[in-house]
Amino acid sequence: MSVGFVMLVHTALDRAEQVARHWARHDCPVVIHVDRKVKRRDHNAFVEALSDLENVRFSPRFSCEWGTWSLVKASQAASELLLKDFSKVRHVFLASGSCLPLRPVQELKDYLADRPMTNFIESVTTEDVPWTVGGLDEERFTLRFPFSWKRQRRLFDAYVRLQRRLKVNRKIPEGLVPHLGSQWWCLTRQTLTAILEDPDRPTYDKYFSKVWIPDESYYQTLVRLYSTNIESRSLTLSKFDFQGKPHIFYDDHMQLLRRSDCFVARKIWPNANKLYDGFLSENAAIMTGAEPNPGKIDRIFSRAVERRTKGRPGLYMQSRFPNDGWENGLTSAPYAVFEGFSELFEDFEDWLARMVGARVHGHLFAPDRVEFAGGQSVFAGALSDSATLRDYRPEAFLTSLIWNTRGERQCFQYSPRDTQGIGWLIAKDANATISVISGAWAVPLFYSNANFSDIRKEAARLQKIEAEHLAALRSFYAKARVRIWTLADFVENPMEPLQTVIDELGNRTSHRLTEAPRMVSLEGFGQFLQNLKNQGMHPHLMGDFPMSNTVERNQKKPRKPYLVN
């Protein structure tokens, strides 16, 4: 006999019974502490289920709560009973009811027998602790914590603030240097006895009873007084996420747990039948002799934490909808936005589809309906052409469309007439390529044949919307690839901007474009703009558009487009 187990149990008593029986049958004494909050009927049934084993005991019960002294008190009582009733135990292994042995018990016995004076307990000073998340380091030892962090959070926080204002600084007992570490340890009989039988124990217990989370500091600190033979690591595999919550192991973690070579793991999901059946069976008794090395699987957990915190680029779902600014990429794939092109060219969408081989949509955010390519009413991922559904979350609509069509470049039209809910999204999205002909929204007004007073009013509204949108595209926060031409600059020589557009979409042709989309007639458009000015509206986004009846192209050297980012 070389090792005995102390188990702290508060739930899943049937699984705790299986594990306790496994250890006891391999000649390892087990002392179990059952949380007093467990119903007496369930406790009695648990005791009765293990009554056939002579080397299983139950210690006095305490009501336990996370982060409080009660957990240390429970481990003290159970350890004292184990040391008293089983004199041949040389190491005491602290475990929980959710722990599961991963390697043969005999292998653990041999491992500890080869290290008879070694204490396995994570014990580091507060300056060296990198894992405290949303908690306290030094202050956990210098302030008092009479309130429960989980049940009385407001009182807990208020009392901490009060002590800080009053500059409370508890005196640490002489000779103690606070250390922290995992609560799951394996101590030698000599060291554990020295801690429990120390004449100064009442002083230490009184001090640590008001320390925050004392089960992670009591033994970790006192072990430094009684032993220099300390392996500052735990033989129990326990992993925590970025919020400081323990990872739970499920059936599909079987191979992962085997790779760790650890002797015990926690927390195991109570319904992980494959894990319990596999690791508690005699067929699992394969001696490896390997050194426990949880670092072998750290890379996988790091990837899991990264996936959980960052998610997959452009994927939003119920289980992970990040706060603004926490996204791992606003969208999942490159796409292109064209503003003013479909207003200026009659067949722009068909022409662009031929030129770049992409999926070219109409105005996805048109007021009446979603103009999917080919006039479809339902598109990838069961996206409906309903404007009502789209406008409920326009940003989510776009990110869903891009996610559902990964591998195929999406292009769509956009204008001041459309729903403006995605303006900042596309401006800040590094996946977006945005080409703008500012002022082109006036062309449909030119052909509308409506009352001129209504046209002037609508022109003023659309110009204001586009001006705000252009400000977003030019802002410091914009990450999209943006090119902006005024309408006047564009029509002087449309082939050069069109060539630029095609090149930026990745279809770099070996020769200049010879085919262009069919531009609408702009005869009289200059006079139309002058009429707007005469009526008190200043259409400045179109640039210096000529007043002549026909637009003379190629007479001037074409101006370069305004380039953002």
Side-chain angles (χ1 to χ4, degrees):
M1 184 187 303
S2 64
V3 59
F5 289 87
V6 169
M7 293 183 66
L8 304 182
V9 179
H10 71 281
T11 187
L13 303 186
D14 56 332
R15 292 304 191 186
E17 176 196 341
Q18 282 184 268
V19 175
R21 184 174 295 277
H22 177 80
W23 281 327
R25 284 181 172 175
H26 288 84
D27 199 28
C28 292
V30 181
V31 174
I32 303 174
H33 174 272
V34 181
D35 195 323
R36 181 175 284 179
K37 292 192 287 291
V38 173
K39 295 180 180 179
R40 181 179 299 178
R41 178 183 58 189
D42 296 333
H43 171 260
N44 292 341
F46 183 39
V47 173
E48 179 64 26
L50 292 171
S51 60
D52 60 313
L53 299 171
E54 297 182 356
N55 56 353
V56 174
R57 303 283 190 276
F58 287 85
S59 65
R61 301 173 65 190
F62 301 97
S63 182
C64 296
E65 186 169 357
W66 181 89
T68 65
W69 174 250
S70 57
L71 291 171
V72 178
K73 196 173 180 181
S75 65
Q76 288 176 331
S79 297
E80 288 172 335
L81 181 58
L82 180 68
L83 295 171
K84 173 178 174 291
D85 285 6
F86 303 98
S87 59
K88 294 183 179 180
V89 168
R90 303 266 66 85
H91 276 88
V92 177
F93 197 114
L94 181 64
S96 74
S98 64
C99 284
L100 179 66
L102 306 181
R103 293 168 64 174
V105 177
Q106 186 59 47
E107 195 163 15
L108 175 60
K109 289 183 179 181
D110 295 342
Y111 185 84
L112 296 175
D114 291 340
R115 301 160 179 81
M117 301 302 294
T118 303
N119 297 280
F120 296 92
I121 179 170
E122 194 172 47
S123 174
V124 297
T125 58
T126 54
E127 292 83 3
D128 299 322
V129 172
W131 60 77
T132 51
V133 178
L136 307 168
D137 292 331
E138 294 87 352
E139 285 184 320
R140 68 174 66 197
F141 297 106
T142 59
L143 303 181
R144 292 180 175 84
F145 300 91
F147 300 108
S148 168
W149 185 82
K150 287 194 171 182
R151 289 186 301 104
Q152 302 165 303
R153 184 63 181 272
R154 295 180 65 181
L155 287 174
F156 181 98
D157 292 341
Y159 195 57
V160 168
R161 289 193 296 269
L162 176 63
Q163 292 180 88
R164 286 172 175 169
R165 284 200 298 268
L166 298 177
K167 297 183 179 180
V168 172
N169 189 8
R170 294 181 67 202
K171 182 179 179 181
I172 300 174
E174 187 176 354
L176 291 188
V177 178
H179 283 67
L180 295 169
S182 169
Q183 72 180 102
W184 310 110
W185 43 256
C186 180
L187 300 178
T188 64
R189 183 185 191 94
Q190 176 179 324
T191 300
L192 186 56
T193 301
I195 292 174
L196 297 176
E197 295 179 357
D198 191 312
D200 293 328
R201 176 181 162 185
T203 301
Y204 299 148
D205 287 5
K206 181 179 179 180
Y207 168 74
F208 278 100
S209 66
K210 294 298 185 291
V211 167
W212 191 46
I213 319 181
D215 53 308
E216 294 183 354
S217 59
Y218 179 80
Y219 295 100
Q220 293 77 2
T221 299
L222 296 181
V223 72
R224 295 290 177 175
L225 298 179
Y226 309 109
S227 177
T228 58
N229 193 356
I230 298 172
E231 285 276 349
S232 185
R233 59 190 174 98
S234 176
L235 298 180
T236 300
L237 173 66
S238 56
K239 294 292 183 180
F240 297 86
D241 63 15
F242 74 104
Q243 294 177 318
K245 297 179 181 179
H247 276 289
I248 298 176
F249 293 102
Y250 300 92
D251 280 339
D252 52 356
H253 292 124
M254 171 75 80
Q255 295 305 317
L256 189 70
L257 294 174
R258 291 191 189 278
R259 287 174 55 189
S260 73
D261 291 323
C262 290
F263 291 106
V264 176
R266 73 174 303 273
K267 284 182 146 184
I268 308 298
W269 186 46
N271 294 323
N273 298 323
K274 181 179 177 180
L275 294 184
Y276 280 97
D277 294 344
F279 285 111
L280 297 182
S281 68
E282 295 302 324
N283 294 333
I286 302 174
M287 309 289 278
T288 66
E291 184 72 21
N293 185 14
K296 291 168 63 175
I297 62 175
D298 281 347
R299 179 179 59 85
I300 298 174
F301 280 90
S302 296
R303 289 173 58 191
V305 170
E306 182 179 5
R307 174 61 61 85
R308 181 177 177 187
T309 53
K310 290 188 174 182
R312 282 171 279 182
L315 175 61
Y316 304 82
M317 52 190 176
Q318 180 274 334
S319 60
R320 185 192 175 277
F321 207 94
N323 297 326
D324 185 37
W326 284 31
E327 310 92 345
N328 182 18
L330 294 174
T331 54
S332 60
Y335 60 96
V337 183
F338 294 91
E339 305 184 21
F341 287 78
S342 60
E343 286 81 359
L344 187 59
F345 296 102
E346 295 179 358
D347 57 346
F348 177 74
E349 294 163 24
D350 293 337
W351 173 85
L352 184 64
R354 292 195 305 271
M355 291 297 103
V356 300
R359 178 84 64 159
V360 181
H361 302 279
H363 288 262
L364 290 179
F365 294 88
D368 298 331
R369 62 179 291 272
V370 181
E371 297 177 1
F372 289 125
Q376 300 179 63
S377 59
V378 178
F379 195 60
L383 293 175
S384 168
D385 66 349
S386 166
T388 302
L389 293 177
R390 177 204 63 200
D391 292 343
Y392 178 72
R393 290 296 296 267
E395 293 182 336
F397 173 86
L398 178 59
T399 55
S400 295
L401 184 143
I402 302 302
W403 174 265
N404 295 336
T405 56
R406 299 183 312 281
E408 179 187 52
R409 177 72 69 98
Q410 303 296 306
C411 306
F412 66 91
Q413 318 304 311
Y414 192 61
S415 82
R417 293 182 176 83
D418 296 345
T419 298
Q420 297 298 302
I422 64 162
W424 273 106
L425 172 68
I426 61 176
K428 295 188 295 183
D429 188 6
N431 279 327
T433 298
I434 306 176
S435 303
V436 183
I437 305 175
S438 66
W441 45 264
V443 175
L445 290 179
F446 172 58
Y447 280 98
S448 66
N449 197 28
N451 292 333
F452 201 81
S453 59
D454 295 335
I455 291 175
R456 182 182 58 79
K457 183 177 180 180
E458 179 68 2
R461 184 184 74 86
L462 295 178
Q463 182 164 255
K464 180 180 179 181
I465 293 174
E466 185 169 64
E468 293 175 352
H469 177 58
L470 294 179
L473 296 182
R474 294 180 173 122
S475 74
F476 171 80
Y477 302 100
K479 298 295 185 292
R481 177 72 170 173
V482 179
R483 287 189 181 274
I484 302 173
W485 298 270
T486 65
L487 179 61
D489 289 342
F490 190 93
V491 298
E492 283 184 355
N493 181 19
M495 293 301 289
E496 184 172 339
L498 290 174
Q499 181 76 56
T500 301
V501 166
I502 297 302
D503 290 345
E504 287 193 341
L505 291 181
N507 187 14
R508 296 191 177 274
T509 58
S510 58
H511 51 81
R512 303 289 292 178
L513 285 175
T514 58
E515 177 190 357
R518 196 165 50 252
M519 184 184 295
V520 300
S521 173
L522 294 177
E523 184 176 355
F525 185 72
Q527 183 61 53
F528 170 76
L529 296 180
Q530 184 61 47
N531 291 340
L532 288 176
K533 294 179 182 180
N534 296 340
Q535 292 291 327
M537 187 262 173
H538 180 52
H540 60 89
L541 294 180
M542 298 77 179
D544 187 15
F545 207 89
M547 281 287 296
S548 60
N549 289 336
T550 60
V551 178
E552 298 181 4
R553 303 184 181 99
N554 301 320
Q555 296 300 313
K556 302 178 184 179
K557 183 179 179 180
R559 303 175 189 176
K560 293 184 179 179
Y562 182 93
L563 174 61
V564 181
N565 292 345

